[in-house]
Amino acid sequence: MNARLHYQPARDEQIDEFLELLQADAAGYLHPTLDMMGWSWAEFASRVHGSGRVLCVYCGDEKVGCYWIEECGRMLHLHGIVVARAWQGQGIGTQVLAHLVEEYAGRMDVIQLGVHDSNPRAKALYEREGFRIVQIMPEAGFTIMQRWLHPYAG
């Protein structure tokens, strides 16, 4: 897919929609992960609303997904990307990652994310886009990956 995407900050109700999509996409591991961290769903939702930014991804006038990011010093943490089911497999995630690299190059040193072991398609996408494994957390079922934003780093 080569359609031009654009990005807009999510309104509160769109953040709630992001949370619903995230809950559906990550149904197998989201709640056990929250339990392990000692967070209720309400606490997690409050963090999404209050930490970092959620942006909506549009193709034309249609919202095709959302992502949640947070700046931590010189690191951009990508908490999650959710693409609407009808748009999955069409390169939306790839374009979002390219957008983040372009937007944050020079402002941040690295983009970091966690990918659950039950999502090999996402892990393969991140690897194709230059992310490398920096930590494996078997107790949580997550792999932490980073992509350096400087050509000489990483």
Side-chain angles (χ1 to χ4, degrees):
M1 173 182 175
N2 289 327
R4 182 128 175 102
L5 301 179
H6 60 279
Y7 309 88
Q8 295 179 355
R11 299 182 308 273
D12 280 344
E13 67 273 9
Q14 291 173 314
I15 295 173
D16 291 335
E17 292 169 8
F18 166 74
L19 285 164
E20 289 174 20
L21 289 171
L22 184 62
Q23 195 168 25
D25 257 18
Y29 63 85
L30 182 59
H31 285 284
T33 301
L34 294 177
D35 289 344
M36 186 181 71
M37 296 171 71
W39 295 353
S40 69
W41 177 254
E43 289 169 318
F44 176 68
S46 177
R47 288 176 188 265
V48 174
H49 276 276
S51 299
R53 299 184 305 147
V54 175
L55 288 103
C56 294
V57 181
Y58 291 88
C59 183
D61 292 334
E62 187 169 355
K63 186 173 71 165
V64 299
C66 296
Y67 62 90
W68 174 28
I69 55 173
E70 186 172 0
E71 295 180 18
C72 305
R74 300 256 323 150
M75 177 184 69
L76 180 70
H77 187 80
L78 174 58
H79 289 285
I81 301 174
V82 178
V83 176
R85 293 225 188 272
W87 289 87
Q88 291 178 1
Q90 298 185 43
I92 302 294
T94 300
Q95 289 187 60
V96 168
L97 293 172
H99 166 73
L100 291 173
V101 167
E102 181 180 317
E103 181 177 348
Y104 285 95
R107 293 177 31 205
M108 297 285 164
D109 295 326
V110 66
I111 298 174
Q112 179 176 289
L113 56 86
V115 61
H116 196 267
D117 296 341
S118 66
N119 196 349
R121 284 184 65 203
K123 186 176 178 188
L125 164 66
Y126 300 137
E127 288 174 336
R128 280 192 312 272
E129 295 304 313
F131 286 80
R132 299 294 171 248
I133 296 170
V134 295
Q135 183 180 5
I136 297 174
M137 303 171 64
E139 69 284 353
F142 275 90
T143 299
I144 306 302
M145 303 179 80
Q146 290 183 341
R147 175 172 173 173
W148 288 91
L149 297 175
H150 303 294
Y152 53 85

